[in-house]
Amino acid sequence: MPSLLPSTARTLLARTARAQRDGRVPALVAGVVRDGALVWSTGRGEITEPHQDVQYRLGSISKTVTAITVLRLRDEGRLDLDDALDVHLPGTPLGGRTVGQLLSHLAGAGSESPGQWWERAPGTTLEGLGLSAADVVLPAARRFHYSNLGFGLLGELVARARGRSWAEVARDEVLAPLGMTRTTTRPSGRAAQGYAVHPWADAVQVEPEHDAGVMAPAGQLWATATDLARLGAFLLGDTGGVLSPDTLEEMTIPAGIDSSAATWSSYGLGVQVQRVGTDPARPGPVLVGHGGSMPGFLAGLWVDREEGAGALVLANTTSGLDNGLTAALLADLRAAEPRIVDPWTPQSSPVPLELLGPWYWGPSPYVLRAIPGGLLHLGGLGRPGRTSRFRPGPDGTWVGLDGYFAGETLRLDPVALNLATFVFTRTPYDPAAPVPGGVVG
């Protein structure tokens, strides 16, 4: 295993040790991923060595794997994220909600399945759930509402599309290709026992474990630290051919929030996305990953894609662990061993140089720049403005990647930039070009 500096390792160990003690966690494993590998890990408490090869329940980190199985179907042309659920899984009260809404928790589905609490009772089939109109709790796309039920339905969609169980699809199409051979739907081999710790005494009680049936895609996977580190490397860009880089990028785009804000938390497609930090004047990094909890277990996997690093935590306790431990480990790593970026090198512009530089939308100054990756960037000049990156599109056009103009088409010519009916000109209110806002010079 590649290693960190001894001083960095000690800092991470000290933070992890305190979290295990203060959280009264029977067994805690923590690790750091960098350059696609687990570069540091430790086990605290009643740990069986090697701690990297002991399974823990992942809880809702399973949703990320489920999302990957759905997106593989989309990339194959078998479905569209705008498809109604009824097209692929008919007969549910959520049939009019879309696949994309379910993936991003915007479908208005109930947070849990009906009947007994699915995390503590043996599972059943979709038909056995007996879904009704009561399981639709909000209008579609009205607001974020976390839904385990929604991911149970997505797993059933995958099973029916592939003609075999969701567990088999996840194993064959995601876990095995990524080398996650110690990730299973039930404990296999060396696995931790789940506990609940008494709130007023240092006593523990064994927690149950069972097959969640149709709800398994929402949170049933078990994995080792080594396997979870591989999923972290996936989120950092090493997709192993399981998904394209473009689809991975799509997974990480926040839904329903303004991602230019100083601090925020949102959900993409099967992953949580959050900007950490408390100082609006100095926004912290954006982290991508997922937390997880099941009776007897807590887990977390978060990556800082800008820094090229990730952190993971696996614990066998129902509650008590500081849920900010992974972010704190990443902050420690960033402070102690910041990533050394690649050197700048000259690159040719993807468009003629005379098209770059200042442009005006009415009186507002903007600047068009060529940026690495063959992209263009349009943003305010000297003051805030609507900002977006653009990738090459068909017929010499450019398509917005993010920000206000995401998905919009940019057309360039020496006189004007045409973008979503906005006309950017070389001078404010240029009389030789269409005038934004109908203002007469």
Side-chain angles (χ1 to χ4, degrees), residues 405-425:
F405 297 112
E408 304 288 354
T409 299
L410 170 66
R411 293 178 172 83
L412 311 177
D413 68 54
V415 176
L417 308 181
N418 292 276
L419 176 59
T421 74
F422 295 176
V423 179
F424 295 79
T425 56

Side-chain angles (χ1 to χ4, degrees), residues 293-305:
S293 66
M294 288 291 277
F297 292 90
L298 295 171
L301 173 67
W302 292 91
V303 302
D304 180 343
R305 301 173 75 218

